[in-house]
Amino acid sequence: QKEVEQNSGPLSVPEGAIASLNCTYSDRGSQSFFWYRQYSGKSPELIMSIYSNGDKEDGRFTAQLNKASQYVSLLIRDSQPSDSATYLCAVPRGRDDKIIFGKGTRLHILP
Amino acid sequence: DVKVTQSSRYLVKRTGEKVFLECVQDMDHENMFWYRQDPGLGLRLIYFSYDVKMKEKGDIPEGYSVSREKKERFSLILESASTNQTSMYLCASGVNEQFFGPGTRLTVL
């Protein structure tokens, strides 16, 4: 099993709808989880961090964490064309300071 | 805001040349990282450093070396560039949360 898995997409969502991005991880000892947004040709930008089970909201973004099921998700409400990007899930590996990145999900918001 | 800068956005080099990619961060982070990113392969860790003069191999260190003489600066060195090192190179700093520089798109001809 890969350490961090994401559906590569593309995920197409109509403008104004909710985009739901999912990520599963294999290390049960992981304590923190991150979502990065990467526009084409640009570097990844940290948009959300979550450390506890449940939901964390920041503007139109909500991160959801379920440690028992080992998944973390990102919801984007009222999707905008500017949300079209690749979203990377990242999970620090417990035994060292490395972060394991998923390969990303390409999100396309349809105008 | 954390600022991570990289010496070049675009670089074109010839096979066999020695290439230096530099990264500077202004947040006094101890941890710094070098990744390369290729389509379909995602982000792959080349080297990282926990402190000045300390370095650790990542997942794909072959063909690369690094230097960290000052806390804020982490350099990636391609000893003898090859065409399969054509890629986007990303520097990052931070513990847990990593902050990325703008990237250097390197083309080796």
Side-chain angles (χ1 to χ4, degrees):
Chain A
Q1 181 187 3
K2 293 179 183 175
E3 292 182 272
V4 178
E5 289 201 71
Q6 298 179 253
N7 189 319
S8 62
L11 175 65
S12 295
V13 173
E15 183 176 356
I18 296 175
S20 178
L21 305 164
N22 299 312
C23 171
T24 58
Y25 61 93
S26 60
D27 187 351
R28 285 195 171 274
S30 298
Q31 297 297 317
S32 49
F33 307 85
F34 308 101
W35 283 100
Y36 289 78
R37 178 178 61 200
Q38 186 174 23
Y39 292 114
S40 180
K42 303 294 185 181
S43 61
E45 173 194 9
L46 180 66
I47 57 172
M48 287 288 281
S49 307
I50 186 166
Y51 303 93
S52 306
N53 271 335
D55 295 0
K56 178 183 177 183
E57 188 174 316
D58 183 1
R60 295 186 296 111
F61 297 94
T62 299
Q64 298 177 319
L65 174 61
N66 183 323
K67 290 185 179 180
S69 301
Q70 295 176 249
Y71 83 77
V72 56
S73 61
L74 180 70
L75 303 179
I76 307 174
R77 290 185 301 280
D78 188 24
S79 297
Q80 303 296 310
S82 60
D83 295 326
S84 296
T86 296
Y87 290 81
L88 305 174
C89 173
V91 181
R93 195 160 61 186
R95 59 183 182 274
D96 53 35
D97 284 342
K98 294 180 185 178
I99 288 184
I100 308 302
F101 288 86
K103 291 186 178 180
T105 298
R106 281 187 297 136
L107 175 64
H108 182 47
I109 305 301
L110 304 169
Chain B
D1 280 350
V2 175
K3 189 131 175 104
V4 181
T5 57
Q6 295 184 228
S7 50
S8 306
R9 289 301 310 275
Y10 300 93
L11 208 52
V12 179
K13 295 292 181 180
R14 298 223 172 260
T15 301
E17 282 193 79
K18 191 168 186 176
V19 182
F20 293 87
L21 303 181
E22 293 202 320
C23 175
V24 178
Q25 52 97 1
D26 67 357
M27 284 302 293
D28 204 34
H29 287 153
E30 292 182 344
N31 294 3
M32 296 187 73
F33 305 82
W34 275 106
Y35 296 89
R36 63 178 284 179
Q37 188 175 35
D38 302 285
L41 297 178
L43 279 164
R44 293 183 290 169
L45 182 63
I46 304 171
Y47 266 98
F48 59 107
S49 170
Y50 293 130
D51 203 349
V52 176
K53 296 193 185 293
M54 295 187 69
K55 60 185 179 184
E56 296 282 343
K57 292 180 179 179
D59 301 318
I60 52 163
E62 296 78 20
Y64 304 94
S65 62
V66 290
S67 172
R68 192 157 181 208
E69 297 296 320
K70 293 185 178 181
K71 191 174 187 178
E72 67 271 19
R73 189 180 299 269
F74 191 34
S75 300
L76 180 69
I77 303 154
L78 285 66
E79 297 291 342
S80 177
S82 63
T83 55
N84 63 12
Q85 292 178 310
T86 291
S87 186
M88 169 71 95
Y89 289 87
L90 291 159
C91 174
S93 74
V95 178
N96 272 344
E97 297 177 339
Q98 290 187 13
F99 300 91
F100 285 85
T104 296
R105 186 163 294 282
L106 172 67
T107 300
V108 182
L109 302 176

